[in-house]
């Protein structure tokens, strides 16, 4: 399902203005996922592929005023929609590619990535880049507000054993990219995988 950057920008850019209206009920799922992620006050967290910034309020609440929230997205229209929604009040928004983050090594405590993994052009290398900017023992959350089967049905396709987000595929992918998967949940109403950055 990976897509080149131009296609990703075109796809999401055309949908940015209506994105939040199209999925108005997702807020509680984001809040629950961030809560389960276990961030602490003062943590430095990246919202990777933040889109319209739907996770940023929950992330700010989790890390508190002493923490850092950074939202990064490849699509200018998505970041503009995030700003119109006032989500830049929760943290900094940056136009950047998660495959080449403009961040120092091990500068973050955690990465939250909603709906990102299917759009990574080179998932192994891109997950390694996320690992590069997170301290050893830091966390990664791969999230989607609906599960794999519901998402496949929404797009009119069937799940196959080759699905990258299937547990038997995602576990080794994470391991090979500097992460250890610690939990995997794929329910009708959410997909949430938590991993820890290896030393």
């Amino acid at each position: 399902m990976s897509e080149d950057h131009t296609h990703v920008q075109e796809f999401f850019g055309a949908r940015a203005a209506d994105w939040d209206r199209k999925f108005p009920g997702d807020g509680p799922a984001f809040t629950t996922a961030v809560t389960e992620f276990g961030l602490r006050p003062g943590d430095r967290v990246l919202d990777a592929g933040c889109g319209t910034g739907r996770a940023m309020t929950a992330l700010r609440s989790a890390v508190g005023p002493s923490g850092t929230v950074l939202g990064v997205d490849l699509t200018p229209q998505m970041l503009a929609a995030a700003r119109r929604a006032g989500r830049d009040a929760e943290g900094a928004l940056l136009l950047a590619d998660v495959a080449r983050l403009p961040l120092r090594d091990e500068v973050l405590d955690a990465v939250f990535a909603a709906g990102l993994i299917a759009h990574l052009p080179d998932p192994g290398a891109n997950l390694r880049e996320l690992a590069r900017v997170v301290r050893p023992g830091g966390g990664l959350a791969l999230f989607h507000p609906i599960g794999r089967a519901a998402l496949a049905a929404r797009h009119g396709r069937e799940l196959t054993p080759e699905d990258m987000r299937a547990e038997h595929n995602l576990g080794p992918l994470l391991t090979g990219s500097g992460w250890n998967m610690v939990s995997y949940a794929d329910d009708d109403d959410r997909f949430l995988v938590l991993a820890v950055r290896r030393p």
Side-chain angles (χ1 to χ4, degrees):
M1 290 184 64
S2 65
E3 305 164 38
D4 66 70
H5 289 162
T6 301
H7 181 75
V8 168
Q9 287 177 316
E10 289 174 354
F11 179 88
F12 287 104
R15 291 161 176 79
D18 294 321
W19 193 259
D20 287 358
R21 285 192 294 274
K22 189 173 180 182
F23 305 107
D26 286 351
F30 275 83
T31 300
T32 299
V34 169
T35 299
E36 290 185 33
F37 194 16
L39 296 168
R40 296 167 299 186
D43 275 352
R44 298 155 297 173
V45 61
L46 171 67
D47 187 356
C50 66
T52 62
R54 294 185 294 167
M56 291 189 70
T57 299
L59 293 171
R60 171 54 65 197
S61 179
V63 303
S66 64
T68 300
V69 178
L70 174 62
V72 168
D73 203 273
L74 188 65
T75 306
Q77 297 94 324
M78 281 288 193
L79 294 174
R83 290 186 182 95
R84 285 193 301 273
R87 292 174 180 142
D88 53 340
E90 309 295 352
L93 294 170
L94 179 65
L95 180 66
D97 183 355
V98 298
R100 291 182 298 278
L101 289 165
L103 299 172
R104 297 189 315 273
D105 293 356
E106 300 181 8
V107 72
L108 300 173
D109 297 295
V111 174
F112 186 87
L116 176 71
I117 192 166
H119 301 288
L120 295 176
D122 184 347
N126 303 151
L127 288 167
R128 279 192 295 278
E129 173 66 357
L130 295 180
R132 179 187 69 79
V133 300
V134 174
R135 63 169 174 78
L140 170 68
L142 302 175
F143 169 71
H144 200 283
I146 59 175
R148 292 186 311 123
L151 185 61
R154 176 185 287 174
H155 294 294
R157 60 177 176 79
E158 293 185 6
L159 285 178
T160 68
E162 292 77 33
D163 183 352
M164 178 175 50
R165 290 166 291 191
E167 187 172 8
H168 64 270
N169 295 325
L170 187 55
L173 177 62
L174 287 166
T175 299
S177 305
W179 302 95
N180 286 330
M181 186 164 66
V182 295
S183 67
Y184 181 96
D186 181 20
D187 307 314
D188 287 343
D189 59 350
R190 62 108 180 237
F191 175 85
L192 181 62
V193 174
L194 302 181
V196 172
R197 166 76 155 79
R198 294 208 311 274

